[in-house]
Amino acid sequence: MQMAATQKESSDQNFDYMFKLLIIGNSSVGKTSFLFRYADDSFTSAFVSTVGIDFKVKTVYKNDKRIKLQIWDTAGQERYRTITTAYYRGAMGFILMYDITNEESFSCVQDWSTQIKTYSWDNAQVILAGNKCDMEEERVVSVDNGRMLAEQLGFDFFETSAKDNINVKQTFERLVDLICDKMSDSLETDPAVTTGTPNARLTDNPPPLQQPNCGC
Amino acid sequence: MGAMESKYSTEDINKIMATWWKTIEKKTQKPTMTIPNMHFTVPTLWGRKKSDPPAPEWPTVFSTIWRSPYTPNSFVPHFNDCVGRAAARTQEYLQFVDPEDKFIPSPTSLNEIFLMTYISQSSRLQMTNSFNCTPMTSQQRILLGADWVWAVLDRPTKNPCIQIAVQILHLPERCGERASGVSPEVCTESMQMAKMESGNRNEAERMVDFCMSIGTDCYALFLLFGRKGDPGNIYGVLSNNFGAAVGKTKINRALIENFFRGSRYLHTPTGMLQAIITKRAGDPLTLLIKFT
């Protein structure tokens, strides 16, 4: 099984666009679980704190285009802040996550938003996600408060559950849509972009990988 | 009521009793306990029966009380147990020589043997609430340079307060590949991307950068599975001050091996952990350790 999965991943090297996305937020809000649910459709309730940074890759299709999502899972603890913020650069989208059962994680959303503004580029798209919405009995942050804060910050908003698979796919799909819309806007306002690589204007990064050779 | 009469005479009874007594005396007393100088015939709270399978040393009720995980730094002897066991087992394979000189255990296998043994023992000793071990994913091994990260956990929050990022170094003749599991046949797209992200730095430099990004309470430990002239033992170089070498010299195996030149004192794993715990915050610390 392991070998089959590896071969599948190794062979999956054709794509039209590559989007770099980051999941950020306080420790233990469920960032890693959210990513595992989306990328592997798996969930475990055991909490393992992420060390530094990690990522997974998932390919999605939109308008007959293959979009490769490089999704970075960041550690929420303060001690990793230097290393995690180094990866903000070049990110096209963020999922800013809090835990609806943890008031402090919600209070920190404003600080995380400032981090995005400080270390990322202006056109980065952000979705605010209130995770663990399956734990209604322990809820301390109302849906209205979440939505209101998202509006204030200019972000889209979802309440999600990695455990019960609620709004996980939708959150990523919405983020991809927002990035594509932003790309289209950029192409319209700056036609010169069309002569370049598809995401040249959006990422400030090297052009997307095309048929890269395994250099490991 | 009349008196009961035996069919044996008094003389016969005495003979029978004497024979029976001799039989009892000849019976060997089988000790069933493992407590030194004490023998019990039934399994008790103090330990396992000697007839039980000898392999795993399960914690006994009293051993877990004596080494309560709730006392500060109680994980130090546990750590010594775990790492000692892992090093000893790895050493067995490290010293393996195929008579036909065809089979050599891969560096990745040796890494996994060490880590599996450590993890098994640490979960048996229930030390993971105060001192945990996080193996890195294949992407993290490339991005951060570490094979796993040990962490002393803060009691109420369980957040790490001290960390030791570990990278295993193998003798060059043992491997063409670094033992991060990055062999061409398992090189996934994710790992390719991770390599691209990590730029031109080698794995040792990546781990040092990672530790520096956290601060002086994050140590880099290079675990040498064999050294030049001593391929069968496991050594370590631990420091929170490798940053002093960044920009001045290349951080690589040669630099790490150089630490052993002229140095006489080698710490034990316990000594290493105690030195880390008792060190003043912010002070630099560099140690050489022998694990086997």
Side-chain angles (χ1 to χ4, degrees), chain A residues 9 51 68 79-80 214 216, chain B residues 137 140 163 187 189-190 196:
Chain A
E9 193 186 356
V51 172
K68 185 145 289 191
R79 65 194 281 110
Y80 300 114
C214 179
C216 298
Chain B
T137 64
Q140 283 179 313
Q163 285 173 298
C187 180
E189 183 188 23
S190 300
M196 289 177 71

Side-chain angles (χ1 to χ4, degrees), chain A residues 20 23 47 49 51 68 82 115 121 136-137 148 155 162 175 213:
Chain A
K20 178 179 173 180
I23 309 176
F47 174 63
S49 181
V51 172
K68 185 145 289 191
T82 306
Q115 297 259 324
W121 72 319
E136 192 58 47
E137 288 178 358
M148 206 184 306
F155 303 157
L175 188 54
N213 295 316

